[in-house]
Structures are given as structure tokens and as C-alpha cells.
């Protein structure tokens, strides 16, 4: 036990600290998600969860992030079936003059990609894989989710003569 006359000093700058990312994981896990959010907001938060998985080695935090990601993907399922709100339609609409820069959407539909993400997330939650496999699965989940988000956020519509139509030229009846 050290006394007041000892040469041992307390140095708070040398105390072990949590990684800076730990605070952001806690904040991320507290973020609300739900049907009140729009498609882009849910995609963004799902991307944040998978970003957290990539950056994290703590098993408990990874399981929590997987659980939140799975919940977000389930919210996404219902949003993919719902009509797009007007503000998202505007974000997905090009001017007629911009269609030459257009990138065609993927040939795989959004729901299939979402299901792939769900399957990988459930596999990660089951925790039956080897560490190397886990890292590969998280990487694949990361890539798939970002491909899904990029595809869903890609322009789909163009206004021609005041009417909304798909970029490929087909008229829009119900949007989504």
C-alpha cells in the first residue's frame, strides 16, 4: 500500500480505456428504428449496423448489432412493399436531360437481396461458424447491404411532359 510519502504517482492518462468506437456502438444500438422511418432512413441505419460489425471484435456487441440489423431488415421488408412517399420519389427522379448518365438497376430484385442479408445475419446470430468464416460472412453481408442500398437509392424515374415514368420508358402506375 502506498503512502503519501511514496514515489508512486497516479497517472490517469495511463488508465486503460475503451476504444473510441465503443461509445458509438452504444449510441448506435440505442438508435430508434421502425415503420415511421422511410426507406432511405432504414437503409442508412442498417448500413451503420453492418459498419459496426466490420469494425468490432467484441462478441456481445456483434450479437447486439446483428439483432438490430435483423430487426432493421424486417422493417425494410415492409417498406419495400409499401408505396414510396413523395419526397423519395423526388429523390429518385431525374430530369429528362440527365437520363444519359443513368445506371441501370440490378437484375436481382430488392427483396431477394434483402433475404440474402437476412440469411447471413441469422447465420451470424447462430454463432456456429469459425472466426475466419465469420469475418468472410460479415464482409459478404457488408457488400450485399451496400449493393442493395446503392440499388434502391439509384434513380428510377424521369419526368416527361409533366408525367412521371420509369427511366426505361414505361409509365408509372403504382410507385415502388
Amino acid at each position: 500500500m502506498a503512502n503519501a510519502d511514496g514515489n508512486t504517482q497516479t497517472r490517469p492518462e495511463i488508465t486503460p480505456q475503451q476504444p473510441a468506437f465503443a461509445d458509438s456502438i452504444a449510441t448506435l444500438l440505442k438508435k430508434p428504428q421502425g415503420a415511421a422511418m422511410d426507406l432511405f432512413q432504414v437503409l442508412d441505419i442498417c448500413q451503420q449496423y453492418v459498419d459496426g460489425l466490420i469494425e468490432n471484435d467484441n462478441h456481445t456487441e456483434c450479437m447486439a448489432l446483428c439483432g438490430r440489423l435483423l430487426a432493421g431488415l424486417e422493417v425494410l421488408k415492409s417498406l419495400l412493399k409499401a408505396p414510396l412517399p413523395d419526397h423519395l420519389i423526388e429523390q429518385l427522379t431525374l430530369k429528362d436531360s440527365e437520363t444519359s448518365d443513368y445506371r441501370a438497376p440490378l437484375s436481382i430484385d430488392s427483396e431477394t437481396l434483402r433475404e440474402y442479408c437476412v440469411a447471413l445475419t441469422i447465420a451470424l446470430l447462430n454463432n456456429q461458424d469459425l472466426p475466419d468464416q465469420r469475418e468472410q460472412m460479415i464482409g459478404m453481408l457488408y457488400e450485399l447491404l451496400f449493393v442493395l442500398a446503392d440499388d434502391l437509392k439509384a434513380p428510377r424515374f424521369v419526368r416527361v411532359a409533366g408525367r412521371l415514368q420509369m427511366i426505361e420508358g414505361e409509365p408509372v402506375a403504382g410507385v415502388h
Side-chain angles (χ1 to χ4, degrees):
M1 180 174 197
N3 59 31
D5 295 329
N7 61 7
T8 312
Q9 296 180 356
T10 304
R11 298 197 50 200
E13 69 272 11
I14 301 180
T15 59
Q17 295 181 9
Q18 294 281 357
F21 198 66
D23 288 338
S24 56
I25 291 288
T27 302
L28 183 59
L29 291 172
K30 292 177 186 174
K31 281 191 172 188
Q33 62 181 358
M37 299 173 86
D38 70 33
L39 179 68
F40 288 4
Q41 291 169 323
V42 173
L43 282 169
D44 289 344
I45 199 164
C46 286
Q47 287 178 297
Q48 290 173 23
Y49 292 145
V50 80
D51 270 341
L53 281 172
I54 291 281
E55 300 290 330
N56 199 314
D57 291 329
N58 180 305
H59 179 72
T60 303
E61 289 176 353
C62 284
M63 290 293 102
L65 286 167
C66 282
R68 295 292 286 175
L69 177 58
L70 186 59
L73 291 167
E74 288 305 312
V75 171
L76 187 60
K77 181 179 183 177
S78 64
L79 290 173
L80 287 173
K81 294 177 183 176
L84 285 171
D86 291 339
H87 70 280
L88 291 185
I89 292 172
E90 287 306 313
Q91 288 182 22
L92 296 170
T93 302
L94 296 175
K95 296 176 184 155
D96 196 19
S97 61
E98 298 173 328
T99 56
S100 62
D101 298 331
Y102 169 69
R103 174 185 61 83
L106 296 173
S107 60
I108 299 174
D109 71 289
S110 303
E111 181 55 26
T112 301
L113 279 177
R114 189 202 69 81
E115 286 294 329
Y116 292 163
C117 291
V118 167
L120 283 169
T121 304
I122 290 171
L124 288 168
L125 280 168
N126 286 334
N127 200 29
Q128 299 295 319
D129 43 23
L130 299 172
D132 288 344
Q133 290 173 329
R134 183 172 194 73
E135 188 176 313
Q136 295 301 317
M137 289 171 61
I138 290 171
M140 199 171 10
L141 178 58
Y142 177 91
E143 293 294 330
L144 278 175
L145 191 56
F146 275 77
V147 165
L148 175 63
D150 285 347
D151 184 56
L152 286 172
K153 292 179 179 182
R156 300 246 186 293
F157 313 108
V158 64
R159 285 208 191 277
V160 178
R163 294 183 42 220
L164 192 65
Q165 69 181 37
M166 298 297 288
I167 290 177
E168 293 85 21
E170 50 194 80
V172 175
V175 180
H176 203 290

